[in-house]
Every structure is written in structure tokens, then in C-alpha cells.
């Protein structure tokens, strides 16, 4: 059975779930990026169960979440100076760093790698829960593998009821996209997955930081095992639209109508097109990012067969992460 706990101000309601987490139970928790499916990083069986609950491929390593520096030092062999520097500026927050793993972190967590991804979330509920449990917590996104990530407790309830022991409801995630994954084990720091902290922000402190070649469009296998999988996809067919939205979508709408397919439009501002469903996703790219997964899920609930989503022109800040998720969700279909 899955127990749902709503948290507003009083963190003491988390005690029972924290104890359960420590004992090897699965607890879905809110973070500022997306909701996570938490398990004790020290409990082999619990970690294994998170892969099962999500249907996650075994070769996709998990991110370990810590509540303080002391806990970090349990998880990694040593803290490199680059990590010290970035921690000062970006933790707690949406930055995951890859370092050499400590012996106590099992290969089930890291999918056989000798490195481990670690993050300190800023969400007060996530921090309190990890601190109370006293153990580092593995937490992949709390969705069924392949479907859009979860940014609200309702999404987690829809995907994981009956598969986890607790779902903690802490409201909507502030960032709405996953963390930036930065590899600190190579010659230069490399971004393996764009996220809440941008390349520019990282370059302020570590100027050599780059995107890994696969992210720059070079035809190489991604370094991050998870980046090769189809991700975030709604049930509807998703097409991204670059440039003039109305001009590109209008003829497609005609076609869809003829074949009786229902069309949803996902745009920053409402477009004057005769589609079945419209979601005006937000004025800023931060709004777009925050609402993306929720909107993809809403389109499925509404019964859209095809979704046309605006691909922003910008590349700075959160745009890199937003476009990365959009492209993956659409399986590369761009008009
Ligand atoms: P998720 O928890 O679903 O947001 O995904 C975590 C991401 O971090 C995936 O893309 C993983 O492949 C990546 N990741 C986790 N640990 C490592 C690691 N040790 N080396 C490279 N990538 C990692
Ligand atoms: Mg995920």
C-alpha cells in the first residue's frame, strides 16, 4: 500500500517516512528539480527495488542525494577542489557532480561504474527527509521509465501508486527539469546533461567546462548511460516547431482533422489556430521549463493524439535544458 503524506510547514510529519527510508522502503519525495523516487543508498535491496518500480534499465546509474557535506564525504572517495568550489556557489541546488565513488556505494547504485553522481537538493522537504533518515538517498525521477518526469505529487500518484511505500506531497517543483549533470572525473569538467544550472554559470567558476561531444551534436555515444534512452515521452505523437508556428502547423491541422485526430498546441502564448486543445505554457522560458512535464501529461489526459510544441529559439540559461528535454520527448521530430 502507498501512503501519501502532505507537508506544509511542519516537517515532523516526515518522521515516519524517514524511518521507513532508513529501513529500506521506497519514498517518493519532492525536490526543486522534479519529484524523486527515494531509497537508502546503503540498502542494496531498496536500490534494486527503485529500478523495478520505475521499470528503469539496469545500466542507468542513480543520483545520490545528500543533505550536508558530511554525508557527501561518505559517498565519494575524495572531494576534488573543483567540487569544493562549485558546492560553495551552487549547492544546495540543481547541480549533480560525478566523482569517484566510495567503497560503501554499491555498483547497483552506479550501474557498475566506479564513479558516483551526487547532488544536494535545495527543496526544504527533500533536505529535511534526507537529514532525518540519516542516510544518503538515491532518487531517480519518480515516473515510470520513459514517460514525462513528475513535477507534482498528482503525477507521482498516477505513475507509482502501489509501487512505492510513501509519496510525500510538497507542492509543485520550482525548476521543473532535472539537474545539470557535470562530470568531474575527466581532464576538463564536462556537462553530460544540461539542467537547472547553465554552462555559462559553471564557466564563471570553471572556465574550461564544456558540453560532452554527444550533446554538441557530434555523433558519439553519450557518456551518461541515461542519455541514450527515449525519455519524457507523452502518449500522443509530439512534434516540435521551430520558427513560424502558425505557418508550419496550419497545414498539419488540416491533415489531422481529415483523419479525425485530435490536436493539442503547447506554446508560450496562445496561438490563433483551430486546434482541439491549447496550453499557453508561460511567458518566460523558466515558466516553460517549470510547466513542460505537467503540460505533456495534461495533453495525454485531455486525449490529444498529436501535440505541436514550440521550440524556443534561445540557447542560454534554462533554454539548453528545456530544448534537450523537448527534443528527447519528441524523439527528434522537428518541423
Ligand atoms: P535521473 O536520475 O533519471 O534524473 O538520471 C540521472 C542521470 O545521471 C542519468 O542520465 C544517468 O545516466 C546520469 N548518471 C548518474 N550517475 C552517473 C555516472 N556515475 N556517470 C555518468 N552519468 C551518470
Ligand atoms: Mg528520469
Amino acid at each position: 500500500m502507498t501512503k501519501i503524506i502532505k507537508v506544509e510547514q511542519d516537517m515532523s510529519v516526515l518522521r515516519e517516512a524517514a524511518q521507513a527510508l532508513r529501513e529500506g522502503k521506497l519514498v517518493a519525495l519532492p525536490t526543486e528539480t522534479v519529484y524523486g523516487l527515494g531509497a537508502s543508498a546503503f540498502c542494496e535491496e531498496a536500490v534494486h527495488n527503485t529500478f523495478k518500480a520505475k521499470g528503469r534499465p539496469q545500466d542507468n546509474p542513480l543520483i545520490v542525494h545528500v543533505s550536508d557535506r558530511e554525508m557527501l564525504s561518505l559517498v565519494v572517495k575524495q572531494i576534488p577542489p573543483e567540487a569544493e568550489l562549485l558546492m560553495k556557489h551552487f549547492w544546495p541546488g540543481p547541480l549533480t557532480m560525478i566523482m569517484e565513488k566510495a567503497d560503501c556505494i554499491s555498483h547497483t547504485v552506479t550501474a557498475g561504474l566506479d564513479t558516483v553522481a551526487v547532488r544536494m537538493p535545495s527543496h526544504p522537504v527533500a533536505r529535511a527527509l534526507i537529514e532525518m533518515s540519516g542516510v544518503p538517498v538515491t532518487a531517480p525521477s519518480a515516473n515510470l521509465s520513459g514517460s514525462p518526469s513528475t513535477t507534482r505529487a498528482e503525477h507521482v500518484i498516477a505513475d507509482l501508486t502501489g509501487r512505492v511505500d510513501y509519496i510525500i506531497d510538497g507542492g509543485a517543483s520550482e525548476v521543473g527539469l532535472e539537474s545539470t549533470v557535470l562530470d568531474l572525473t575527466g581532464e576538463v569538467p564536462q556537462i553530460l546533461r544540461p539542467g537547472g544550472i547553465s554552462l555559462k554559470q559553471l564557466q564563471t567558476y570553471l572556465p574550461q567546462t564544456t558540453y560532452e561531444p554527444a550533446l554538441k551534436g557530434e555523433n558519439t555515444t553519450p557518456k551518461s548511460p541515461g542519455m541514450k534512452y527515449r525519455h519524457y515521452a507523452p502518449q500522443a505523437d509530439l512534434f516540435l516547431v521551430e520558427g513560424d508556428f502558425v505557418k508550419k502547423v496550419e497545414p498539419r491541422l488540416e491533415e489531422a482533422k481529415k483523419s479525425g485526430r485530435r490536436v493539442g498546441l503547447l506554446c508560450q502564448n496562445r496561438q490563433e489556430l483551430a486546434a482541439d486543445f491549447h496550453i499557453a505554457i508561460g511567458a518566460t522560458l523558466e515558466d516553460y521549463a517549470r510547466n513542460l512535464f505537467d503540460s505533456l501529461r495534461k495533453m495525454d489526459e485531455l486525449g490529444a493524439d498529436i501535440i505541436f510544441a514550440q521550440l524556443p529559439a534561445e540557447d542560454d540559461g534554462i533554454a539548453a535544458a528545456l530544448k534537450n528535454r523537448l527534443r528527447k520527448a519528441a524523439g527528434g521530430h522537428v518541423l
Side-chain angles (χ1 to χ4, degrees), residues 62-119:
L62 305 177
I63 296 174
V64 177
H65 293 65
V66 299
S67 55
D68 55 42
R69 204 199 133 87
E70 205 183 315
M71 211 182 253
L72 169 69
S73 60
L74 297 177
V75 173
V76 300
K77 197 154 258 170
Q78 63 209 5
I79 305 174
E82 293 87 350
E84 292 280 5
L85 181 64
L86 296 181
M87 267 162 64
K88 247 190 250 154
H89 296 282
F90 299 112
W91 275 15
L95 175 67
T96 295
M97 293 189 267
I98 295 176
M99 301 175 232
E100 256 184 89
K101 78 170 190 69
D103 293 338
C104 64
I105 296 296
S106 78
H107 280 129
T108 308
V109 172
T110 66
L113 300 170
D114 291 327
T115 55
V116 63
V118 199
R119 176 170 107 79

Side-chain angles (χ1 to χ4, degrees), residues 54 56 141 143 149 178 193 231-232:
K54 281 188 57 121
R56 181 176 175 103
S141 50
N143 53 284
S149 304
E178 296 79 356
R193 175 177 74 182
H231 257 111
Y232 323 117

